[in-house]
Amino acid sequence: MMKRLTVMMMAAATIGATAQTVCDDRVPPYDQTVAEEFAANKFLSASNYLDYDRQMTRQPLTPAPAGYTPFYLTHYGRHGSRWLIAKDSYTSVIEPMRKAQKYGKLTAKGEEVLAQLEAFFPTTIDRLGDLTTVGERQHHGIGKRMTQNFPEIFKSKDVTIDARSTVVVRCILSMVAECEELMAANPTARIHNDVSESLQYYLNQPRTGLVKAMAGKGREIRKQHNNRQQADRLMHLLFNDQQFVKDSLRAGSIMYNMFEIATNMQSHDTNIDLYPLFTPEEIIEMWRTRNIGWYIDYGPAPQTGGVMPFSQRNLLRNIIETADTVSRTQATLRFGHEVCVMPLACLLELDSCGAAVSNLDELEHHWRNYRIYPMGSNIQLIFYRPDNAANAECPMANRQDILVKALLNEQECLLPIPTTQYPYYRWSELRRYYLDKLESFDQMEREYLEKEKN
């Protein structure tokens, strides 16, 4: 089994290496270090808990080329901010602190922190994983800006908008929030909403085949890069008896989960701020652990053969196949999770998302998770047709005339093919590039599955 996986990893790496050659030529290095970005905006360190509205500053969009009009928008978006999903994300911190309090082992700071957590914890009851007010607000903002950025689509009379969600409630409510803004901007819009298990195969595709096998490999690699941040300083800050900590508590777990709670507080309208518990160095180190983990599990990591983004191959096919059917001004919206939108961004090779980084200690110089998948993260592909198109009633019939641009979190992106008019690319060329990429993976997976049979 391991020998077969090694062979497949080598074959898969050629796909990632080809993509990285393009990526290296296209994407300049980050102009600030992680430390500099965190100093300016501590909330970035939250990785996938980053509030969409606390991202880096958005840049204005480039006007359409002369003689071109947007007519179709296709999209995949993550749900907005939420409560933490697991009860023990909270109780793994609260319960040991209660235990320490019982024996008089908390410092004054420890008592203060426990009081804050005790005040917040009741809000989580029957709310684990639910969309918060902050998350709802994010999607209202995204929907409103869609109508402002592309009025030719969303304010078109009787425009058809097909919106679909995974079966998870926070995703459904995120879809509802965006669609409310679209309807408010255009009461004539014909919005169709759909939620069904039958859509899961592309809205939240389970791992199978080669991707599933490589996920197992990834778990072993991650163990080598577990959190290297020492918890001693934080334990001295919260507890007055370090022997008690050593004998009775799991210091590393408390620190890890305290940081998770701290970073996710931005998902709520609250004054609780636990960031001051951590030094800048600790924040960076804990973020690095998460950055590496997400890269290995879902990114184009050569350590897992560069195949993990292909977990979203059904989603990319759906995007292409749906675009092929477009015959009028319309939009297709899809709502799901960061474990889909992040690997999709990597599969599409948006900006540096497709970077293949062999030395994980250098990862942050090339790939930073908070630039890809905050709460409410989304990918938009906007299609433009020439105003003098020969077949205006069926724009995709003249695919070679169609231009497309990509937005990641409403920011224009580089795409993996040449263009003379960035951020606009020829759809016929981009479509061919992605279909060839998918076919290369399909062939590799067929070979893997055939070897598994034998």
Side-chain angles (χ1 to χ4, degrees):
M1 173 67 174
M2 286 306 300
K3 184 176 181 180
R4 285 196 294 271
L5 277 179
T6 300
V7 172
M8 288 298 130
M9 284 178 67
M10 292 173 63
T14 62
I15 298 177
T18 301
Q20 179 57 16
T21 299
V22 176
C23 187
D24 282 343
D25 292 340
R26 297 180 299 126
V27 184
Y30 295 127
D31 56 8
Q32 285 188 309
T33 65
V34 168
E36 289 170 336
E37 290 189 343
F38 287 2
N41 184 355
K42 66 184 180 183
F43 297 103
L44 299 176
S45 63
S47 299
N48 58 317
Y49 297 133
L50 173 62
D51 173 5
Y52 191 84
D53 295 323
R54 295 182 188 268
Q55 293 180 86
M56 306 172 81
T57 305
R58 295 190 184 98
Q59 300 301 315
L61 300 183
T62 306
Y68 277 83
T69 300
F71 71 98
Y72 178 55
L73 183 147
T74 189
H75 151 285
Y76 188 94
R78 182 193 182 193
H79 59 76
S81 287
R82 57 166 171 75
W83 273 267
L84 295 176
I85 290 176
K87 182 179 180 181
D88 63 5
S89 293
Y90 300 102
T91 58
S92 60
V93 174
I94 293 174
E95 289 180 355
M97 293 191 75
R98 284 174 177 168
K99 180 179 180 180
Q101 184 185 53
K102 176 180 178 181
Y103 293 105
K105 303 299 184 181
L106 289 180
T107 63
K109 175 56 73 174
E111 293 281 1
E112 176 189 329
V113 171
L114 179 57
Q116 290 178 304
L117 295 175
E118 293 274 22
F120 180 79
F121 184 64
T123 73
T124 72
I125 296 173
D126 295 328
R127 280 291 192 183
L128 295 171
D130 281 359
L131 191 74
T132 66
T133 301
V134 173
E136 182 182 22
R137 193 160 60 235
Q138 291 159 358
H139 281 279
H140 275 285
I142 294 167
K144 186 173 184 178
R145 286 188 296 274
M146 277 185 180
T147 69
Q148 294 168 343
N149 292 334
F150 309 107
E152 300 90 343
I153 298 174
F154 291 102
K155 295 186 180 181
S156 176
K157 182 175 173 56
D158 296 328
V159 62
T160 299
I161 301 172
D162 185 79
R164 301 183 173 199
S165 170
T166 69
V167 296
V168 178
V169 172
R170 60 181 174 271
C171 302
I172 299 169
L173 292 178
S174 297
M175 174 178 68
V176 168
E178 282 194 29
C179 288
E180 285 176 346
E181 291 294 335
L182 305 182
M183 182 59 73
N186 182 1
T188 74
R190 299 179 180 275
I191 300 177
H192 171 69
N193 297 113
D194 198 2
V195 178
S196 171
E197 288 285 352
S198 68
L199 308 175
Q200 294 290 95
Y201 77 96
Y202 71 89
L203 288 178
N204 192 11
Q205 181 181 353
R207 288 174 170 173
T208 58
L210 184 55
V211 173
K212 185 176 181 179
M214 286 301 172
K217 178 73 173 176
R219 284 190 291 272
E220 295 302 314
I221 296 171
R222 285 187 63 183
K223 290 178 182 178
Q224 304 167 25
H225 295 272
N226 284 338
N227 191 359
R228 292 171 285 187
Q229 178 58 55
Q230 297 299 312
D232 292 352
R233 189 205 59 81
L234 181 63
M235 295 303 101
H236 279 85
L237 180 65
L238 299 176
F239 304 98
N240 59 28
D241 185 340
Q242 297 310 300
Q243 191 61 46
F244 173 82
V245 172
K246 182 178 179 181
D247 294 342
S248 304
L249 306 179
R250 297 174 59 199
S253 174
I254 292 173
M255 185 173 190
Y256 183 94
N257 288 293
M258 183 74 81
F259 186 67
E260 184 176 40
I261 294 171
T263 57
N264 194 53
M265 279 298 173
Q266 61 190 282
S267 293
H268 304 274
D269 291 317
T270 178
N271 293 324
I272 297 175
D273 183 5
L274 301 176
Y275 264 101
L277 295 176
F278 307 97
T279 67
E281 294 75 20
E282 288 169 345
I283 289 171
I284 290 172
E285 192 58 48
M286 287 187 286
W287 169 80
R288 281 182 180 135
T289 297
R290 289 158 173 79
N291 194 49
I292 290 172
W294 281 95
Y295 184 69
I296 291 294
D297 284 352
Y298 297 98
Q303 294 82 358
T304 43
V307 304
M308 303 314 289
F310 287 93
S311 65
Q312 301 311 305
R313 58 197 180 276
N314 286 347
L315 177 54
L316 178 53
R317 283 196 184 93
N318 179 263
I319 289 171
I320 295 171
E321 291 169 0
T322 303
D324 286 346
T325 69
V326 170
S327 60
R328 66 182 70 86
T329 299
Q330 62 191 82
T332 305
L333 308 181
R334 307 167 186 84
F335 294 85
H337 308 269
E338 80 269 47
V339 295
C340 303
V341 73
M342 193 274 268
L344 177 63
C346 298
L347 187 58
L348 294 172
E349 299 173 51
L350 306 181
D351 284 343
S352 63
C353 294
V357 182
S358 298
N359 183 354
L360 292 174
D361 291 331
E362 298 294 320
L363 181 62
E364 67 193 70
H365 303 306
H366 309 279
W367 195 92
R368 297 176 185 174
N369 57 15
Y370 52 83
R371 291 172 174 257
I372 307 175
Y373 61 172
M375 295 288 192
S377 55
N378 59 92
I379 296 169
Q380 302 175 28
L381 298 180
I382 304 91
F383 293 72
Y384 296 74
R385 63 183 172 194
D387 297 336
N388 60 356
N391 191 353
E393 295 301 316
C394 189
M396 287 301 183
N398 303 304
R399 192 180 293 139
Q400 66 274 13
D401 295 332
I402 301 300
L403 299 181
V404 64
K405 76 173 175 181
L407 304 184
L408 174 59
N409 303 323
E410 301 175 76
Q411 291 291 280
E412 292 170 339
C413 298
L414 292 157
L415 289 167
I417 63 171
T419 184
T420 59
Q421 46 188 337
Y422 173 83
Y424 298 92
Y425 296 79
R426 291 208 171 275
W427 172 238
S428 59
E429 297 173 8
L430 189 65
R431 179 181 180 276
R432 184 72 268 155
Y433 177 88
Y434 289 142
L435 289 175
D436 287 347
K437 185 174 181 177
L438 291 172
E439 177 53 34
S440 294
F441 176 80
D442 288 346
Q443 179 60 33
M444 182 171 57
E445 183 164 67
R446 284 192 292 268
E447 293 173 4
Y448 166 75
L449 293 175
E450 185 62 31
K451 290 177 181 178
E452 279 295 284
K453 289 180 183 179
N454 301 326

